[in-house]
Amino acid sequence: ELNRMSLGHLSIEALETVYDQLANAIDEAARQHRVELFLTKLALLNANALGSAELFGTHLQAALEDL
C-alpha cells in the first residue's frame, strides 16, 4: 500500500544518496544532542512537502514496522 500511495520513485542510487545524507545529518544532530528535535523538524518539513496528512500517516506507520 505504501508504494501505491507514494508520489514518486527514486532510483537505488538516489535512495543511497538520501540514506547517506540522512545518516550524516543524524550524526551531526547527535553531536549537538538534538536528534529528536532534528527528526521532528525533518518529519514536519516532509509532511508539509507531501501536502497530505493521510499520506504522511501511512509513511509513518510503514517506518514503524519491523524496527
Side-chain angles (χ1 to χ4, degrees):
E1 177 155 334
L2 178 62
N3 285 337
R4 183 174 59 82
M5 294 188 72
S6 295
L7 297 176
H9 301 281
L10 295 176
S11 67
I12 297 298
E13 182 178 284
L15 284 172
E16 289 174 349
T17 298
V18 169
Y19 180 89
D20 289 342
Q21 290 173 331
L22 180 58
N24 289 332
I26 290 171
D27 288 346
E28 175 61 29
R31 283 190 285 278
Q32 299 178 36
H33 306 286
R34 297 280 193 243
V35 173
E36 293 86 357
L37 178 60
F38 164 71
L39 292 174
T40 299
K41 289 174 69 175
L42 180 61
L44 291 173
L45 287 166
N46 280 287
N48 192 53
L50 281 173
S52 169
E54 181 182 356
L55 182 55
F56 177 79
T58 299
H59 290 178
L60 189 67
Q61 290 305 310
L64 284 170
E65 290 179 18
D66 301 318
L67 287 177

